[in-house]
Amino acid sequence: MVAKDYPVYLLIRRASGRGDEPQEPSSKRVKPLSRVTSLASLIAPVQAAPLKRIGQTLQRSISFRSVCKPEIMSPRPWSRQIAPANTKRRDSKLWSETFDLGLGHMLSSEEIKRQEAIFELSQGEQDLIEDLKLAKKAYRDPMLKLSIMSEHELNQIFGTLDSLIPLHEDLLSRLREVRKPDGSTDHVGHILVDWLPCLETYNSYCSNQVAAKALLDHKKQDHRVHDFLQRCLESPFSRKLDLWSFLDIPRSRLVKYPLLLREILKHTPSEHPDRQHLHHAMNMIQSIVADINTQTGESECRYYKERLLYLESGQRDLLIDSSRILSCHGQLKNNRGVKLHVFLFQDVLVVTRAVTQNEQLCYQLHQQPIPVRDLEWEDLQDGEMRLGGSIRGAFSNSERTKNFFRVSFRSGGQLQMHCFQASDAFNKQQWLNCIRQAKEAVCSAECEPQTAARCSDCSAECSQMDLTDLTLTPVET
């Protein structure tokens, strides 16, 4: 389960101290690097550095899926076991370590921090370009050449990734042009104001990610795809990052721009001529990210609505059709241990079971959709629910279960209840928070027309009042 935006950012890092004590020579023999006998070894490795993950998702909704971590795929019987390879790591660089340190004696500590922030922006662009080229050279091109996937499938998975490379090469070139011979940079605001509108290209890339991830996960069931990705994962160039981690790098970079600009602005003096441009650039990037965020969330909502299967026409609900926001979704269990996939749209809760139809993962409605406005919820204490559905009937530890919550609603005058079990306490709390927020949003939306109507009635009454009937009482001063 993944929450929506959680930037964790540390721009300036202390350089590690170097000890002055002499190191004794080691008597240990150094083992030579083993060769990687894999498809990936045919590909010339691209120089690239560690991915610094900032945000976990760029979508408006919260998707209850595992965080995009390096995936270690289980070995298949047909896969040859390969000895672990030496992982290529990217060394993080600081401005003060890259350029002449003599300049630092002439700059204030605040200006040094500003130069570090500008350099981080530039270095991040270089790292991003290298990773995007790596994804194309080490994954897409070989899979196409070896017919591991069709060109149509690869286009769906990689989306518009190719179009992002010249976009960021342009920004990197501009930043390097304004860098002085001593490594310092005076102005970047005007460059960003001129370049940031190009990020609208990210709309199509980010909106395609949900469908791309689903197709990639499906194709991993093909042993040729699985074997190729496993070999790449165990090769040095991957830095132990799976293919999806590389495809997710542009989104991570996008949500990092506001943080980078805020850091540059923070260390730019108020009288600096670049400050006005930086303020403008800050407003621009926040608006661009918010717009892409909204469109990505709507794209995800449409994707899952199209994959809902109805057993009967009575299960169809206009609230599902009209939903544009998917607040959260993920796997839960009922009190009998049955795995369910639950979707919380903006106005309706939908309980489904994951099924495969035409080699595609779909979601078959398991219960009648529940309008959020009628929904009530309750957090159940650990041990309060027992498998089989009895409440407060658990007499032994083996029967007790944890992380349950209950939702209830009235249908046709009868109270109906569903008990769901989350994977852990954090997952359960996220569900409860999302349900509460969805309920508050629905209630707020329903109250606004009533408030507006009351205000309209009051205005009408005031306009009809006969002002000649009012008696004015003088006030003594």
Side-chain angles (χ1 to χ4, degrees):
M1 163 171 168
V2 181
K4 52 182 174 182
D5 274 338
Y6 342 52
V8 179
Y9 176 63
L10 176 62
L11 180 64
I12 299 179
R13 201 174 30 119
R14 292 183 179 274
S16 58
R18 296 184 175 86
D20 296 330
E21 297 180 1
Q23 300 294 325
E24 296 183 0
S26 173
S27 60
K28 295 182 180 180
R29 297 180 63 185
V30 179
K31 184 179 179 180
L33 294 179
S34 58
R35 295 181 59 190
V36 180
T37 55
S38 67
L39 294 174
S41 64
L42 301 175
I43 307 163
V46 179
Q47 298 293 331
L51 170 63
K52 302 174 184 177
R53 301 185 60 79
I54 296 299
Q56 299 300 334
T57 184
L58 175 70
Q59 53 206 25
R60 184 187 181 102
S61 61
I62 300 174
S63 58
F64 292 159
R65 297 183 293 271
S66 59
V67 179
C68 203
K69 296 178 181 177
E71 179 183 353
I72 306 299
M73 292 174 279
S74 59
R76 300 289 180 95
W78 52 76
S79 301
R80 252 186 326 152
Q81 296 299 310
I82 304 172
N86 212 25
T87 304
K88 291 178 69 69
R89 295 189 179 275
R90 178 182 286 161
D91 295 328
S92 299
K93 297 180 181 179
L94 295 176
W95 175 79
S96 55
E97 296 174 339
T98 306
F99 297 99
D100 184 12
L101 295 178
L103 179 65
H105 298 296
M106 302 186 303
L107 301 176
S108 65
S109 60
E110 197 68 12
E111 179 60 23
I112 292 177
K113 291 178 181 179
R114 182 173 183 270
Q115 294 300 324
E116 293 284 8
I118 295 174
F119 182 72
E120 169 68 10
L121 173 64
S122 175
Q123 187 64 32
E125 292 301 301
Q126 180 178 331
D127 294 344
L128 173 63
I129 293 167
E130 291 174 354
D131 284 333
L132 295 181
K133 289 182 176 180
L134 174 64
K136 183 178 185 298
K137 182 177 181 180
Y139 290 93
R140 190 189 187 284
D141 292 350
M143 284 194 286
L144 180 61
K145 185 175 182 179
L146 298 173
S147 300
I148 295 175
M149 286 195 208
S150 68
E151 184 175 5
H152 177 69
E153 290 170 334
L154 290 170
N155 288 341
Q156 284 185 292
I157 292 173
F158 284 80
T160 58
L161 182 138
D162 283 352
S163 67
L164 303 181
I165 297 175
L167 178 74
H168 293 281
E169 286 178 333
D170 178 40
L171 176 59
L172 180 61
S173 174
R174 297 190 196 190
L175 292 175
R176 286 176 172 173
E177 284 176 1
V178 296
R179 183 184 293 165
K180 296 180 179 179
D182 59 17
S184 64
T185 303
D186 289 335
H187 303 83
V188 294
H190 66 289
I191 294 176
L192 294 170
V193 169
D194 184 54
W195 179 81
L196 284 174
C198 300
L199 290 178
E200 296 291 346
T201 308
Y202 270 76
N203 265 320
S204 57
Y205 184 81
C206 293
S207 296
N208 180 63
Q209 280 198 301
V210 177
K213 181 68 164 62
L215 178 58
L216 178 60
D217 289 343
H218 174 69
K219 293 301 295 183
K220 285 178 183 177
Q221 299 174 23
D222 184 331
H223 71 89
R224 295 187 69 213
V225 175
H226 177 279
D227 188 50
F228 178 85
L229 296 179
Q230 181 69 27
R231 290 170 182 271
C232 289
L233 184 64
E234 295 173 346
S235 298
F237 69 81
S238 73
R239 309 194 308 274
K240 295 186 177 180
L241 297 175
D242 64 0
L243 172 57
W244 183 251
S245 295
F246 283 102
L247 295 178
D248 194 48
I249 287 175
R251 179 206 54 78
S252 298
R253 181 64 179 176
L254 182 62
V255 298
K256 189 174 181 179
Y257 283 121
L259 302 172
L260 291 169
L261 266 63
R262 187 177 296 115
E263 192 69 19
I264 297 174
L265 189 59
K266 175 182 176 182
H267 300 295
T268 301
S270 56
E271 68 278 4
H272 198 290
D274 202 29
R275 193 169 179 86
Q276 183 177 356
H277 285 114
L278 288 172
H279 271 298
H280 188 194
M282 189 69 186
N283 293 332
M284 289 177 64
I285 188 59
Q286 288 176 337
S287 175
I288 291 171
V289 170
D291 180 59
I292 297 175
N293 190 38
T294 300
Q295 294 194 37
T296 303
E298 292 178 356
S299 174
E300 182 189 29
C301 186
R302 286 193 302 272
Y303 175 84
Y304 285 109
K305 286 197 302 182
E306 291 170 356
R307 279 151 185 79
L308 293 178
L309 299 179
Y310 301 92
L311 294 177
E312 54 188 38
S313 59
Q315 290 180 327
R316 293 187 176 275
D317 196 310
L318 292 177
L319 293 176
I320 298 178
D321 296 336
S322 62
S323 292
R324 298 177 59 190
I325 298 173
L326 178 59
S327 300
C328 58
H329 72 95
Q331 186 181 97
L332 296 171
K333 293 181 181 179
N334 64 11
N335 57 331
R336 291 178 176 79
V338 177
K339 293 181 180 180
L340 304 170
H341 200 98
V342 182
F343 296 90
L344 178 61
F345 294 97
Q346 64 192 70
D347 295 318
V348 62
L349 182 75
V350 181
V351 183
T352 72
R353 286 182 179 177
V355 296
T356 302
Q357 187 177 77
N358 299 326
E359 298 186 352
Q360 190 175 61
L361 184 62
C362 298
Y363 304 91
Q364 187 178 83
L365 265 69
H366 180 62
Q367 301 286 346
Q368 193 69 21
I370 307 170
V372 171
R373 64 173 178 273
D374 302 329
L375 193 63
E376 302 295 337
W377 71 95
E378 180 183 0
D379 183 1
L380 300 179
Q381 299 299 315
D382 290 347
E384 191 173 0
M385 171 65 65
R386 190 179 65 171
L387 293 180
S390 60
I391 304 296
R392 302 189 184 279
F395 296 103
S396 64
N397 290 334
S398 60
E399 292 179 314
R400 295 189 177 187
T401 51
K402 298 181 179 181
N403 308 317
F404 265 95
F405 65 94
R406 179 166 52 213
V407 298
S408 60
F409 64 101
R410 291 194 174 275
S411 177
Q414 294 183 347
L415 182 65
Q416 299 188 28
M417 294 185 298
H418 297 289
C419 295
F420 298 117
Q421 183 184 28
S423 58
D424 52 43
F426 177 77
N427 190 302
K428 180 179 77 169
Q429 194 57 51
Q430 289 281 32
W431 271 105
L432 294 175
N433 290 341
C434 286
I435 292 173
R436 183 181 65 254
Q437 292 169 6
K439 180 83 173 182
E440 290 173 353
V442 169
C443 293
S444 176
E446 291 179 348
C447 289
E448 285 180 1
Q450 297 176 7
T451 303
R454 286 197 298 269
C455 293
S456 178
D457 293 342
C458 291
S459 299
E461 291 176 2
C462 291
S463 63
Q464 293 173 4
M465 290 178 63
D466 188 355
L467 298 182
T468 59
D469 293 340
L470 295 178
T471 304
L472 301 180
T473 304
V475 178
E476 295 182 1
T477 58

